[in-house]
Amino acid sequence: MSILVDDQTRVVVQGITGRDGAFHAQQMAQYGTKVVAGVTPGKGGQSMADIPIYNFVQEAVDQEGANTSVIYVPHSFADDAICEAAEAGCQLIVCITEGIPTLEMVRVMQYLSAGQARLIGPNCPGIITPGKAKVGIMPGQIVKAGRVGVVSRSGTLTYEVVYQLTLAGIGQSTCIGLGGDPIIGTRFVDTLELFEADPETDVVVLIGEIGGTDEEEAAEYISQHVTKPVVAFIAGLTAPPGKRMGHAGAIISGGSGTAREKIAALEAAGIPVAAKPEDIVGLVKEAIK
Amino acid sequence: MSILVDDQTRVVVQGITGRDGAFHAQQMAQYGTKVVAGVTPGKGGQSMADIPIYNFVQEAVDQEGANTSVIYVPHSFADDAICEAAEAGCQLIVCITEGIPTLEMVRVMQYLSAGQARLIGPNCPGIITPGKAKVGIMPGQIVKAGRVGVVSRSGTLTYEVVYQLTLAGIGQSTCIGLGGDPIIGTRFVDTLELFEADPETDVVVLIGEIGGTDEEEAAEYISQHVTKPVVAFIAGLTAPPGKRMGHAGAIISGGSGTAREKIAALEAAGIPVAAKPEDIVGLVKEAIK
Amino acid sequence: MKVHEYQAKDIFAKYGIPVPQGRVAQSPGVARELAAGIGCPVMVKAQVHVGGRGKAGGIKMAKTLGEAEKLAGKILGMRIKGLQVRKVLIYRALEIKSEAYMGIVVDRHSQVPMVMVSAAGGVDIEEVARETPEKIHRLAVDPLFGLLPFQARELTFSIYEDPGIAAQAAKILMQLYRAFWECDASLMEINPLIVSDQNKLWALDAKFNVDDNALYRQPKIAEMRDLQAEIPEELMARGKGLSYVKLDGTVGCVVNGAGLAMGTMDLIKQRGGEPANFLDIGGSSSPEKVTAAMHILLRDTNVKVILFNIFGGITRCDDVANGLVTALGEMGKVDLPIVIRLTGTASREGREILKKANLLAVDSMAEVVEKAVQMAKV
Amino acid sequence: MKVHEYQAKDIFAKYGIPVPQGRVAQSPGVARELAAGIGCPVMVKAQVHVGGRGKAGGIKMAKTLGEAEKLAGKILGMRIKGLQVRKVLIYRALEIKSEAYMGIVVDRHSQVPMVMVSAAGGVDIEEVARETPEKIHRLAVDPLFGLLPFQARELTFSIYEDPGIAAQAAKILMQLYRAFWECDASLMEINPLIVSDQNKLWALDAKFNVDDNALYRQPKIAEMRDLQAEIPEELMARGKGLSYVKLDGTVGCVVNGAGLAMGTMDLIKQRGGEPANFLDIGGSSSPEKVTAAMHILLRDTNVKVILFNIFGGITRCDDVANGLVTALGEMGKVDLPIVIRLTGTASREGREILKKANLLAVDSMAEVVEKAVQMAKV
């Protein structure tokens, strides 16, 4: 089973003729993901590494059975790409593109609310279900199939944690990077619901960072709805208040959003919080016991 | 029973301190309608002819149990008034105001689509259920309680028809003026559905005019869903194509919307169409038999 | 309200839609000067608010300056469907490889803006719509999001094979939608949208009707109204808040409400008469409106009788009666017979007022129309 | 990006929000001239990108021209929370009857703009939010419709008793929302919004942060960036597409990804070290970015060791290695020790490159942090 992506996933790559799109389309295909089509308006009819290119996502859905889109187009076109994928009937849309204006994402979320599509990202590394499918930019060689779900707002920090799990012999069911922007399509609580329902996930690792209140909401949600063990890590204890730390989302605003508050909320909900990334392995081992 | 308004109707008058609002609030109350509140922002706490005035429709709903709004505010405030009434929980909103920009109404219809409120108008004379309630500006003295439903896109032409029915001793269940603008909240098919379901209506009189295709859609709807007899009249046989005839809605556009086409569509659906207003009485009498 | 082609093109240009550079001339001499500035060949195009200008000879190409002057002289002063041409637009003639159509209207059925494109532009698009509707690609736009770029592309890729041209067209369509929405248009059209010999798109014609109800918030567009291009009586009527359309008959009508006015006209015709006009004095009618209505009708020398058909609602019959009496007082002697029908709100008071002025009102519409038709025949 | 109060007020004024007329001075003499033009009493207000200016003595009232000049001299050059004051805003002092608060932010939870108003403005609004949250009235705005007039009225009628003032405030709130949306703001605030002795509302202070991601489509606002008001290293970093925040420690960090960068800083602290900075070289890192990162870190004289923590994903480890080798080549001798961790995409190739340049990379984050902390202690 796993969640969101597996061997039923048929990927269309939006922006397949761009630098990142072309590289990662091949990386995904090499990992074994079914990359069935690419889209670049005006280049329909061409192909790239045996992947057929279309002008529109709708064509990729109709003619190649694509059900998942991954987006690498430049930031000023990304909002339109998301809407197009949703309109074409993609169930899952993974937007790797960073730099989309926040108010544009506000509009996109309204657009998506009328339909069935789930968005991951933007500004995220994507999703990987080890041995089955990789949708996005996560390095495939660091994961290992197993029964730990990993969800994170960060990119490389997720790799770090996943890599350490893999080195310790602990495999993952699905690893998801949600993205670090203020407005993202899928949040911790959404993925917790999916992991809870997934028979192939035993433990969930939640990797948060400063800014917003998604971790606090996750803590609340876990204490009410999640029966599986969850372990957490929060980055940003040393971040000075009010300073922007790369991600637009990582701003400590007002009285909430600090790492300390998030850790307190999680611990109050009975969730063990690792002091440093390498401690996660130990907490997961304990949880599995 | 009747439709839309009856003795359960509790009216809030938006724009009650304006010239038209003040006059018609009293006219409605004199007719016996339960006019429970008026709204004019900034005049909350005052009253007008014993009707309490509030700043907001929400207050009229919460404190006076208003369930129907009638709007007389100037055209540049009318879109906001409609949205406010919907948000406050009014089930029925009757907008008398004319001159609202079409694209503003396009937005308003989108706003209403998310909720439960029904809009009649704008630029309409309103609704009257003889002997029970009058919401709008129709002259109360020309109607008579009975079992004929009347629905029209026109104002005074409706009065004409209703008056002739009354003179002939034929009473009405409910008379509705839908308004002549291109974008209106309630159309023929909506009211036909209501009249069909109303045990107190035996016959429906439909009064159309040139422009749009509402009459054609009504003909189609009647032939499929309406078991009660319907008789019709269409104004505008002498209107030259392309000329604006007062109502923004009364423009003959492209290949459709002429009186001749509408009459043909209705007759094809087996609906008798009166050649002149005074013939309606005869057709109704025949239908009742 | 309609604006002229040259005005619509100015608006389009502001939105980045490519239009051939051009200017308006009101005399053959100026037309020649403009042509000299632009460089021949140029188009000389009548600026009037009717369709079918080409068929009527109002659109010509001039290869030389002399020809430009001559053609402008011919077109200026021409009458097209009853309207006099007072302005010609001069712009550089372009080589045309293909002609497409783009248009946006508010669709009454779906209650949202409807975008239409067709590869079969240039000719009578209404005929295309009737004969081969599948050649017109339509999209109902969600007004809360506007036309999205991928939607615009889907439309334009369906009418152009060349992706570069389709992409240009998508941008134009996006801008046309923006202009439509921001300018409160009721109709915007580019017909034809041409591909030039350099594979560039141009809006060769531009049509733009504005929603009259929105003019209050579009002051710049309201200023574009060309008073000379309108029928004086219709202009007077609008100035007084009346809605008037001149027709060719002999029975002048003053009615409150558009539906009742049309019903009255239809009945006049049925009874063997011919209505001289449509005139709706609207709701909340003041005495001044009635006076103005009388003045307008009396300018029409065809009118043999004036018919009032008033059903009081928001309009009060006493207001109308007062207006009529005042108008008659102001005008001195009115030679035409006046027949009046008053019913509804304050009709008793209205009749009292008329009675004092020795005017009689009847109660039924059939009766008043019958009377008027008979009097018009005398 | 933050803009200064005076810039925010210029934008507010364009949207019809009443702000006291004022101008900016960069010297006491100009401040005096401006005060003379405006008329005393005037306010003299430090223009720096931090809160708490009043408490720091950066906001003063001057009753005379001499006082204005003297106060401007005192405030200009003052340091507030580490930032030097280079500009003062001079505007007419107003009588204040009451102080309210208006603000708009994008709410991450509901994912729409959130409008907030409070009658308890002027003081520390964050304290009000913490202590008496019921005094702040909130509304999550449907972004597809924007703030509707009745909603604006509902908010302002809840904080003002006088309907006239509440109606004025509703108009201001509507315009503030329009400005927020059209200018791609991430935060807009009026605090305090005052009622003057003439019962007129004024935005006495103005705060406006712009979404950095939207600067590409807000060129006029992007131009407002005050380069002098920023930390030079942060400015350099942004110019190269890096994200850098200076801190006070000794371990300089170069990391790819904000989360990993923060995780690295946290770990440095846990192991007894102090991070000198946050530095995210981002995804798709080119060698040029790495070079720029090195240059920036070497400007900080506190730095005793440079730590690279790179987990390749979209970033390729060979790109980073090349960048580092190039940077070292360009810079000549670098005295500081460099510790490197490379894992993930193209890490083998990256290590090869480093090896040839006699640089060694470790595989684990714990190991590289441990090393760096020890070296910094030497």
Side-chain angles (χ1 to χ4, degrees):
Chain A
M1 277 265 305
S2 65
I3 71 167
L4 295 168
V5 300
D6 56 25
D7 44 21
Q8 301 301 305
T9 297
R10 298 176 67 82
V11 176
V12 49
V13 180
Q14 290 181 258
I16 194 168
T17 55
R19 185 180 173 274
D20 289 345
F23 177 72
H24 287 287
Q26 295 176 64
Q27 292 278 311
M28 287 187 282
Q30 278 166 27
Y31 190 78
T33 315
K34 296 192 180 85
V35 179
V36 299
V39 165
T40 297
K43 300 206 173 163
Q46 304 178 15
S47 71
M48 218 242 8
D50 290 337
I51 303 165
I53 302 178
Y54 294 93
N55 288 327
F56 295 101
V57 179
Q58 190 68 62
E59 297 169 317
V61 169
D62 293 345
Q63 289 172 47
E64 308 292 345
N67 55 21
T68 296
S69 160
V70 60
I71 295 172
Y72 297 94
V73 306
H75 59 77
S76 53
F77 304 114
D79 57 324
D80 187 49
I82 296 170
C83 294
E84 181 181 355
E87 199 61 28
C90 291
Q91 295 152 30
L92 182 68
I93 303 166
V94 179
C95 184
I96 309 301
T97 307
E98 65 177 316
I100 304 175
T102 304
L103 293 183
E104 214 48 74
M105 279 310 302
V106 165
R107 273 167 58 92
V108 168
M109 291 311 297
Q110 296 290 319
Y111 190 86
L112 295 179
S113 70
Q116 300 301 316
R118 172 187 294 283
L119 172 68
I120 307 278
N123 189 14
C124 81
I127 316 175
I128 193 162
T129 291
K132 290 183 181 163
K134 153 182 151 139
V135 179
I137 60 173
M138 285 199 196
Q141 68 274 20
I142 62 167
V143 300
K144 171 186 159 73
R147 304 185 59 84
V148 175
V150 179
V151 58
S152 168
R153 278 168 63 198
S154 171
T156 44
L157 184 56
T158 320
Y159 309 165
E160 185 69 50
V161 171
V162 169
Y163 186 50
Q164 290 183 14
L165 288 172
T166 296
L167 287 181
I170 302 168
Q172 304 93 40
S173 54
T174 301
C175 307
I176 311 161
L178 301 175
D181 279 1
I183 306 288
I184 51 177
T186 298
R187 290 180 276 187
F188 284 128
V189 290
D190 307 308
T191 52
L192 286 165
E193 190 182 344
L194 295 170
F195 277 130
E196 173 72 11
D198 174 32
E200 295 187 5
T201 298
D202 294 336
V203 187
V204 180
V205 176
L206 185 154
I207 304 157
E209 61 184 41
I210 52 170
T213 54
D214 283 4
E215 291 80 1
E216 286 87 335
E217 283 157 31
E220 171 91 14
Y221 183 83
I222 292 165
S223 65
Q224 288 180 13
H225 301 106
V226 179
T227 59
K228 297 181 181 177
V230 178
V231 307
F233 174 74
I234 302 293
L237 265 172
T238 49
K243 278 287 184 183
R244 188 186 154 102
M245 293 289 179
H247 285 183
I251 303 170
I252 304 183
S253 54
S256 62
T258 63
R260 217 165 291 283
E261 283 170 293
K262 289 173 189 300
I263 291 168
L266 289 163
E267 289 181 339
I271 300 154
V273 181
K276 44 190 191 296
E278 67 237 55
D279 295 350
I280 292 173
V281 170
L283 292 179
V284 169
K285 280 187 180 162
E286 214 153 293
I288 295 173
K289 269 195 301 200
Chain B
M1 277 263 306
S2 65
I3 70 168
L4 294 168
V5 300
D6 57 24
D7 44 19
Q8 301 301 305
T9 298
R10 297 175 68 82
V11 176
V12 49
V13 179
Q14 290 181 260
I16 195 166
T17 54
R19 185 180 173 275
D20 289 346
F23 177 72
H24 287 287
Q26 293 177 66
Q27 291 279 309
M28 288 187 281
Q30 277 166 28
Y31 190 76
T33 316
K34 296 190 180 84
V35 179
V36 297
V39 166
T40 296
K43 300 206 174 162
Q46 304 180 14
S47 71
M48 217 240 14
D50 288 337
I51 303 165
I53 302 178
Y54 294 93
N55 288 327
F56 295 101
V57 179
Q58 191 69 61
E59 297 169 318
V61 168
D62 293 346
Q63 289 173 47
E64 307 293 345
N67 54 21
T68 297
S69 160
V70 60
I71 295 172
Y72 297 93
V73 306
H75 59 79
S76 53
F77 304 113
D79 57 326
D80 188 50
I82 296 171
C83 294
E84 180 181 356
E87 199 63 28
C90 291
Q91 294 152 32
L92 182 69
I93 303 166
V94 179
C95 184
I96 308 303
T97 306
E98 65 177 316
I100 304 177
T102 304
L103 294 183
E104 213 49 73
M105 278 311 300
V106 165
R107 275 167 57 92
V108 168
M109 290 312 296
Q110 296 290 320
Y111 190 87
L112 295 180
S113 69
Q116 300 302 316
R118 172 185 293 284
L119 172 69
I120 307 279
N123 189 14
C124 82
I127 316 175
I128 192 162
T129 290
K132 289 182 182 163
K134 151 181 154 141
V135 179
I137 61 173
M138 286 197 197
Q141 67 275 20
I142 61 166
V143 300
K144 170 185 158 79
R147 304 185 59 85
V148 175
V150 179
V151 59
S152 168
R153 279 169 61 200
S154 170
T156 44
L157 184 57
T158 319
Y159 309 165
E160 185 70 49
V161 172
V162 168
Y163 185 50
Q164 290 182 14
L165 288 172
T166 297
L167 288 180
I170 303 168
Q172 305 91 40
S173 53
T174 302
C175 307
I176 311 161
L178 300 175
D181 279 0
I183 306 288
I184 51 177
T186 297
R187 290 182 276 188
F188 284 128
V189 290
D190 307 308
T191 52
L192 285 165
E193 190 184 344
L194 295 171
F195 277 130
E196 173 71 12
D198 175 31
E200 294 187 5
T201 298
D202 295 336
V203 187
V204 180
V205 176
L206 183 154
I207 303 157
E209 60 184 42
I210 53 170
T213 54
D214 283 5
E215 291 79 2
E216 287 87 334
E217 283 157 32
E220 170 92 13
Y221 183 85
I222 291 165
S223 64
Q224 288 180 16
H225 301 106
V226 179
T227 60
K228 296 180 181 177
V230 178
V231 307
F233 174 75
I234 302 293
L237 265 173
T238 49
K243 278 288 186 183
R244 189 186 153 103
M245 292 291 180
H247 284 183
I251 303 171
I252 304 184
S253 54
S256 63
T258 63
R260 216 165 293 283
E261 284 170 292
K262 290 174 187 301
I263 291 168
L266 290 162
E267 287 181 340
I271 301 153
V273 181
K276 43 191 194 294
E278 66 237 57
D279 295 350
I280 291 172
V281 170
L283 293 179
V284 169
K285 280 186 179 161
E286 215 153 293
I288 295 173
K289 267 196 302 201
Chain C
M1 174 190 136
K2 292 173 178 180
V3 304
H4 284 301
E5 175 194 357
Y6 74 90
Q7 296 166 319
K9 281 183 172 171
D10 285 349
I11 292 169
F12 284 14
K14 266 182 208 142
Y15 281 90
I17 296 169
V19 294
Q21 184 217 339
R23 283 180 65 193
V24 158
Q26 292 188 276
S27 75
V30 172
R32 184 192 177 101
E33 276 171 40
L34 293 179
I38 290 162
C40 285
V42 295
M43 299 301 296
V44 183
K45 223 165 161 185
Q47 300 293 293
V48 277
H49 291 317
V50 286
R53 289 173 298 169
K55 285 174 194 162
I59 305 179
K60 297 281 183 193
M61 187 169 80
K63 294 207 186 75
T64 64
L65 296 185
E67 219 180 334
E69 184 170 357
K70 212 181 97 192
L71 286 169
K74 219 168 157 182
I75 294 172
L76 286 165
M78 184 184 265
R79 280 193 170 269
I80 303 180
K81 295 187 186 166
L83 288 175
Q84 200 181 345
V85 181
R86 296 173 189 273
K87 292 174 182 171
V88 288
L89 175 61
I90 311 290
Y91 65 83
R92 187 189 203 99
L94 294 165
E95 288 291 325
I96 297 174
K97 282 171 68 176
S98 75
E99 298 187 317
Y101 169 88
M102 272 185 186
I104 310 177
V105 290
V106 174
D107 177 43
R108 298 161 68 124
H109 179 65
S110 55
Q111 305 195 318
V112 300
M114 179 76 79
V115 173
M116 294 164 291
V117 302
S118 176
V123 295
D124 189 348
I125 191 70
E126 279 153 30
E127 203 182 300
V128 175
R130 250 194 321 273
E131 307 290 324
T132 48
E134 71 283 0
K135 286 192 181 165
I136 298 182
H137 303 265
R138 291 174 173 80
L139 178 77
V141 177
D142 182 336
L144 300 182
F145 294 96
L147 181 65
L148 300 174
F150 81 88
Q151 295 170 330
R153 284 197 306 273
E154 281 178 348
L155 287 166
T156 59
F157 273 73
S158 68
I159 63 167
Y160 291 110
E161 293 226 339
D162 181 315
I165 291 174
Q168 272 183 63
K171 274 185 196 152
I172 292 174
L173 191 55
M174 291 286 295
Q175 290 305 95
L176 191 69
Y177 183 86
R178 237 189 90 203
F180 180 89
W181 187 263
E182 292 180 359
C183 297
D184 271 308
S186 57
L187 170 76
M188 267 195 186
E189 277 182 346
I190 303 176
N191 187 27
L193 175 70
I194 66 140
V195 176
S196 74
D197 49 354
Q198 310 194 340
N199 279 343
K200 197 173 162 338
L201 290 169
W202 294 96
L204 224 57
D205 196 2
K207 197 168 172 186
F208 169 26
N209 297 350
V210 195
D211 175 9
D212 285 0
N213 284 350
L215 285 175
Y216 78 92
R217 62 179 190 185
Q218 298 285 356
K220 281 184 191 162
I221 295 166
E223 273 173 23
M224 291 184 176
R225 192 188 286 279
D226 182 356
L227 299 180
Q228 284 200 323
E230 305 205 26
I231 296 159
E233 286 79 13
E234 296 189 10
L235 205 62
M236 278 177 63
R238 199 173 45 242
K240 298 287 179 187
L242 309 173
S243 179
Y244 172 85
V245 178
K246 194 186 161 348
L247 300 170
D248 299 324
T250 54
V251 181
C253 314
V254 181
V255 190
N256 67 321
L260 189 60
M262 288 192 287
T264 307
M265 290 156 64
D266 292 350
L267 196 58
I268 290 167
K269 181 110 180 175
Q270 272 190 351
R271 295 291 164 106
E274 286 290 341
N277 64 280
F278 166 93
L279 198 161
D280 173 12
I281 56 168
S284 307
S285 298
S286 60
E288 291 74 33
K289 282 191 180 179
V290 181
T291 315
M294 284 291 290
H295 278 286
I296 289 164
L297 287 199
L298 291 174
R299 286 171 64 107
D300 181 352
T301 51
N302 289 339
V303 171
K304 292 194 178 160
V305 58
I306 293 176
L307 178 163
F308 276 75
N309 184 9
I310 305 297
F311 206 121
I314 205 162
T315 308
R316 298 171 57 98
C317 290
D318 51 354
D319 280 350
V320 176
N322 270 325
L324 180 53
V325 171
T326 310
L328 292 174
E330 278 175 12
M331 289 174 174
K333 203 163 164 280
V334 173
D335 279 334
L336 296 180
I338 301 173
V339 295
I340 306 160
R341 183 267 185 121
L342 282 186
T343 314
T345 309
S347 61
R348 207 159 40 86
E349 295 85 337
R351 280 157 200 248
E352 281 305 314
I353 293 162
L354 293 179
K355 209 172 169 184
K356 281 181 195 152
N358 290 317
L359 289 164
L360 265 184
V362 300
D363 191 56
S364 115
M365 173 168 164
E367 199 180 335
V368 80
V369 166
E370 192 65 46
K371 264 193 178 178
V373 169
Q374 278 174 8
M375 285 175 168
K377 281 182 183 157
V378 175
Chain D
M1 175 189 136
K2 292 174 178 178
V3 304
H4 283 302
E5 174 193 357
Y6 76 91
Q7 296 166 320
K9 280 182 172 172
D10 284 349
I11 292 170
F12 284 14
K14 267 182 206 141
Y15 280 90
I17 296 170
V19 294
Q21 185 217 337
R23 282 180 67 193
V24 158
Q26 293 189 274
S27 73
V30 172
R32 185 191 176 101
E33 277 171 38
L34 293 179
I38 291 162
C40 284
V42 295
M43 297 303 295
V44 182
K45 221 165 161 185
Q47 300 293 291
V48 276
H49 291 319
V50 287
R53 291 173 296 168
K55 285 176 195 162
I59 305 179
K60 297 281 183 194
M61 186 169 81
K63 295 208 185 76
T64 64
L65 297 185
E67 218 180 336
E69 185 171 358
K70 212 181 98 195
L71 286 168
K74 220 168 160 182
I75 294 172
L76 285 165
M78 182 184 268
R79 279 192 171 270
I80 303 180
K81 294 186 187 167
L83 288 173
Q84 199 181 346
V85 180
R86 295 172 189 275
K87 293 174 181 169
V88 288
L89 174 62
I90 311 290
Y91 65 82
R92 189 190 200 95
L94 294 164
E95 288 291 326
I96 297 174
K97 281 171 68 177
S98 74
E99 298 187 317
Y101 169 89
M102 272 187 185
I104 310 177
V105 289
V106 173
D107 177 43
R108 298 161 69 125
H109 179 66
S110 57
Q111 305 195 317
V112 299
M114 179 77 78
V115 173
M116 293 165 290
V117 301
S118 175
V123 294
D124 188 349
I125 191 72
E126 279 152 30
E127 202 183 300
V128 174
R130 250 193 323 272
E131 307 291 323
T132 48
E134 72 282 0
K135 284 192 182 165
I136 298 183
H137 303 265
R138 291 174 172 81
L139 178 77
V141 177
D142 183 334
L144 300 182
F145 293 96
L147 181 65
L148 300 173
F150 81 87
Q151 295 170 330
R153 284 197 305 272
E154 282 178 349
L155 286 167
T156 60
F157 274 73
S158 69
I159 63 166
Y160 291 111
E161 293 227 337
D162 181 316
I165 290 174
Q168 272 184 64
K171 275 185 195 151
I172 291 173
L173 191 55
M174 293 287 293
Q175 289 307 95
L176 191 68
Y177 182 86
R178 239 190 88 204
F180 181 89
W181 186 264
E182 293 181 358
C183 297
D184 270 308
S186 56
L187 170 76
M188 266 193 186
E189 277 183 345
I190 303 176
N191 188 28
L193 174 71
I194 66 139
V195 176
S196 73
D197 50 352
Q198 311 196 338
N199 277 344
K200 197 172 160 341
L201 289 169
W202 295 96
L204 222 56
D205 195 2
K207 196 168 174 188
F208 169 24
N209 296 352
V210 195
D211 175 8
D212 284 1
N213 284 349
L215 286 175
Y216 78 92
R217 63 178 189 185
Q218 298 286 356
K220 281 186 191 160
I221 294 166
E223 274 173 24
M224 290 183 177
R225 191 187 286 279
D226 183 355
L227 300 181
Q228 286 201 323
E230 305 206 24
I231 294 159
E233 285 78 14
E234 296 190 8
L235 205 62
M236 277 176 65
R238 197 171 48 240
K240 297 286 177 185
L242 308 174
S243 180
Y244 171 85
V245 178
K246 196 183 158 351
L247 300 170
D248 299 324
T250 54
V251 182
C253 314
V254 181
V255 190
N256 66 321
L260 188 60
M262 287 192 288
T264 306
M265 291 155 64
D266 292 351
L267 195 57
I268 289 168
K269 181 108 181 175
Q270 272 189 353
R271 295 291 163 104
E274 285 290 340
N277 63 279
F278 167 93
L279 197 163
D280 173 12
I281 58 169
S284 306
S285 296
S286 61
E288 291 74 34
K289 281 191 180 178
V290 182
T291 315
M294 284 291 290
H295 278 288
I296 290 164
L297 287 200
L298 290 175
R299 286 171 64 106
D300 181 351
T301 51
N302 289 340
V303 171
K304 292 195 178 156
V305 56
I306 294 176
L307 178 161
F308 277 74
N309 185 10
I310 305 297
F311 205 120
I314 204 163
T315 307
R316 298 170 59 96
C317 289
D318 51 355
D319 282 351
V320 175
N322 271 325
L324 180 52
V325 172
T326 310
L328 291 176
E330 279 175 11
M331 288 175 175
K333 201 161 162 288
V334 172
D335 279 333
L336 296 182
I338 301 173
V339 296
I340 307 161
R341 183 270 182 119
L342 282 186
T343 313
T345 309
S347 61
R348 210 160 37 86
E349 295 86 338
R351 278 156 201 250
E352 281 304 314
I353 293 161
L354 292 181
K355 209 173 169 184
K356 281 181 195 151
N358 291 319
L359 289 164
L360 267 182
V362 300
D363 191 56
S364 112
M365 175 169 162
E367 199 181 334
V368 80
V369 166
E370 190 64 48
K371 264 195 181 179
V373 169
Q374 277 173 10
M375 285 174 168
K377 282 183 182 157
V378 175

